[in-house]
């Protein structure tokens, strides 16, 4: 297994006996992180709370280094855990992954250069590995496929200086008319946000509300991209993980929904949001019509 860039992985969603969502996926935990359209007071609080954010990241790293043999195999990243979470780079490690490595069935290599030879792969240090099959697990360029669909001049709008496609509410490109992008999701952590965006788009098409001006939409997307750039060095993906609840709050407010969806303030502060939290408004609307 050739590893080019090291990222933190977790074996499960529990850290030292605590559920993972407590650290990043509740309203109280996301209060520690920068978000779009925040006030100067909140920006100042985020600055003051930087040591707490770093302490949470170190707390998670300590568990992962204790639980997984990252040091043994040279797989310990140099960057903080929170940067991977903020860029949607965090992944769940298969249960039998490291036991297979302990048995010698998985071998790790970290070369900067490698090439093929007739029987497999050769590395820059001169070592060779015989291989029947080589799998390139490098991901794919979704924007490239979209550029092939769009005509000029809209094709050039897919590129942005940051490398991130600027989508308002993760759905509408402010400069491409009559087109929406559903399911443009970078992480499973944003799946319920994607479902909420679908409801938002359905109400937009039903003329239940109107979009803000192009300038306002571009300002919003630019703010989100700037936050990603300040939060993590891996900002080439559109990732809302550290402000996903605020993102969903703003979608709810545009649709005329209440943004606080829980039954009481304790749940609002310390429980994660899921797609189930956005069903009540639809049921309330249905009962009201009846």
């Amino acid at each position: 297994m050739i590893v080019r860039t090291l990222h933190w992985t977790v074996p499960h969603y529990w850290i030292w006996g605590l559920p993972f969502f407590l650290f990043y996926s509740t309203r109280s935990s996301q209060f520690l992180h920068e978000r779009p359209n925040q006030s100067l007071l909140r920006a100042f609080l985020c600055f003051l709370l930087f040591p707490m954010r770093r302490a949470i990241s170190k707390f998670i790293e300590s568990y992962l280094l204790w639980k997984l043999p990252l040091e043994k195999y040279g797989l310990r990243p140099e960057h903080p855990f929170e940067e991977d979470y903020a860029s949607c780079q965090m992944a769940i490690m298969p249960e039998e992954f490291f036991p297979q490595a302990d048995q010698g069935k998985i071998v790790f290599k970290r070369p900067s250069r490698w090439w093929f030879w007739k029987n497999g792969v050769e590395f820059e240090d001169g070592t060779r590995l015989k291989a029947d099959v080589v799998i390139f697990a490098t991901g794919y360029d979704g924007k490239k496929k979209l550029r092939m669909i769009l005509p000029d001049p809209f094709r050039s709008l897919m590129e942005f200086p940051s490398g991130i496609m600027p989508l308002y509410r993760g759905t509408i490109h402010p400069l491409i008319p009559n087109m929406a992008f559903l399911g443009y999701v970078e992480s499973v952590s944003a799946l319920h946000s994607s479902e909420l965006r679908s409801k938002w788009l359905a109400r937009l098409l039903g003329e239940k509300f109107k979009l803000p001006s192009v300038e306002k939409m571009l300002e919003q997307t630019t703010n989100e991209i700037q936050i990603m750039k300040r939060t993590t060095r891996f900002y080439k993906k559109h990732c809302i993980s550290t402000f996903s609840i605020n993102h969903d709050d703003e979608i709810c407010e545009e649709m005329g929904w209440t943004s606080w969806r829980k039954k009481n303030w304790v749940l609002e502060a310390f429980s994660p949001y899921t797609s189930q939290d956005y069903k009540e408004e639809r049921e309330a609307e249905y009962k009201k019509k009846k």
Side-chain angles (χ1 to χ4, degrees):
M1 181 175 180
I2 298 176
V3 182
R4 298 178 61 188
T5 304
L6 294 176
H7 291 289
W8 292 97
T9 56
V10 297
H12 43 66
Y13 286 115
W14 290 86
I15 304 295
W16 294 121
L18 298 174
F20 183 83
F21 67 76
L22 285 178
F23 302 105
Y24 291 105
S25 303
T26 65
R27 192 176 289 277
S28 59
S29 63
Q30 293 204 341
F31 186 80
L32 302 175
H33 300 272
E34 187 179 2
R35 69 185 189 188
N37 308 317
Q38 64 183 8
S39 64
L40 289 176
L41 176 60
R42 196 179 184 288
F44 182 66
L45 285 174
C46 282
F47 175 77
L48 292 179
L49 293 172
F50 172 79
M52 183 176 292
R53 292 199 306 274
R54 185 52 59 90
I56 291 173
S57 183
K58 288 292 185 182
F59 181 75
I60 296 174
E61 290 168 29
S62 69
Y63 176 77
L64 298 179
L65 292 172
W66 171 78
K67 184 70 174 179
L68 303 174
L70 301 180
E71 297 275 15
K72 175 182 177 180
Y73 292 109
L75 299 177
R76 176 179 179 170
E78 296 296 327
H79 57 271
F81 173 85
E82 64 178 335
E83 288 198 48
D84 277 343
Y85 186 79
S87 59
C88 296
Q89 296 281 354
M90 188 195 79
I92 294 291
M93 182 64 66
E95 185 176 349
E96 295 298 319
F97 184 81
F98 281 113
Q100 294 286 326
D102 292 337
Q103 297 174 26
K105 295 180 180 180
I106 300 176
V107 179
F108 303 100
K109 297 284 278 187
R110 295 198 59 208
S112 58
R113 296 173 59 229
W114 62 272
W115 49 89
F116 288 108
W117 65 296
K118 63 180 181 179
N119 292 322
V121 177
E122 183 176 351
F123 304 104
E124 60 183 351
D125 61 1
T127 59
R128 290 181 172 183
L129 176 67
K130 291 184 177 181
D132 297 320
V133 178
V134 177
I135 300 174
F136 289 86
T138 57
Y140 65 95
D141 187 355
K143 292 190 291 294
K144 183 176 181 180
K145 294 183 178 181
L146 293 174
R147 285 196 298 269
M148 293 173 64
I149 297 173
L150 292 174
D152 287 327
F154 303 119
R155 184 177 298 146
S156 61
L157 298 176
M158 301 296 293
E159 290 292 344
F160 209 64
S162 65
I164 301 173
M165 186 164 67
L167 294 179
Y168 180 72
R169 304 308 183 209
T171 308
I172 300 291
H173 195 301
L175 301 177
I176 301 179
N178 303 318
M179 177 171 281
F181 300 84
L182 280 178
Y184 201 78
V185 182
E186 295 289 1
S187 168
V188 294
S189 64
L191 286 179
H192 75 272
S193 295
S194 183
E195 181 178 348
L196 185 59
R197 291 167 182 171
S198 300
K199 298 177 181 180
W200 176 88
L201 180 61
R203 282 160 176 75
L204 175 64
L205 295 175
E207 299 182 346
K208 300 292 181 61
F209 66 95
K210 293 184 178 181
L211 289 173
S213 65
V214 171
E215 290 77 13
K216 288 289 185 182
M217 289 191 287
L218 285 174
E219 180 182 359
Q220 173 71 22
T221 58
T222 301
N223 287 341
E224 292 179 359
I225 291 172
Q226 291 301 318
I227 288 173
M228 296 174 208
K229 292 177 67 174
R230 288 193 292 269
T231 305
T232 174
R233 72 196 70 184
F234 308 110
Y235 61 87
K236 295 301 182 181
K237 290 184 175 183
H238 186 275
C239 182
I240 62 170
S241 58
T242 57
F243 57 90
S244 60
I245 294 178
N246 176 74
H247 172 84
D248 296 345
D249 285 349
E250 293 181 343
I251 290 179
C252 287
E253 291 167 2
E254 281 190 331
M255 294 191 295
W257 291 9
T258 176
S259 57
W260 283 40
R261 316 291 299 176
K262 304 291 187 179
K263 295 179 180 179
N264 56 64
W265 69 268
V266 176
L267 293 176
E268 276 290 348
F270 302 110
S271 65
Y273 265 84
T274 68
S275 58
Q276 298 299 314
D277 294 305
Y278 299 98
K279 291 176 62 177
E280 301 172 8
E281 199 77 27
R282 182 174 59 187
E283 293 172 359
E285 289 179 355
Y286 177 77
K287 292 178 181 178
K288 186 177 180 180
K289 289 180 180 179
K290 292 189 67 176

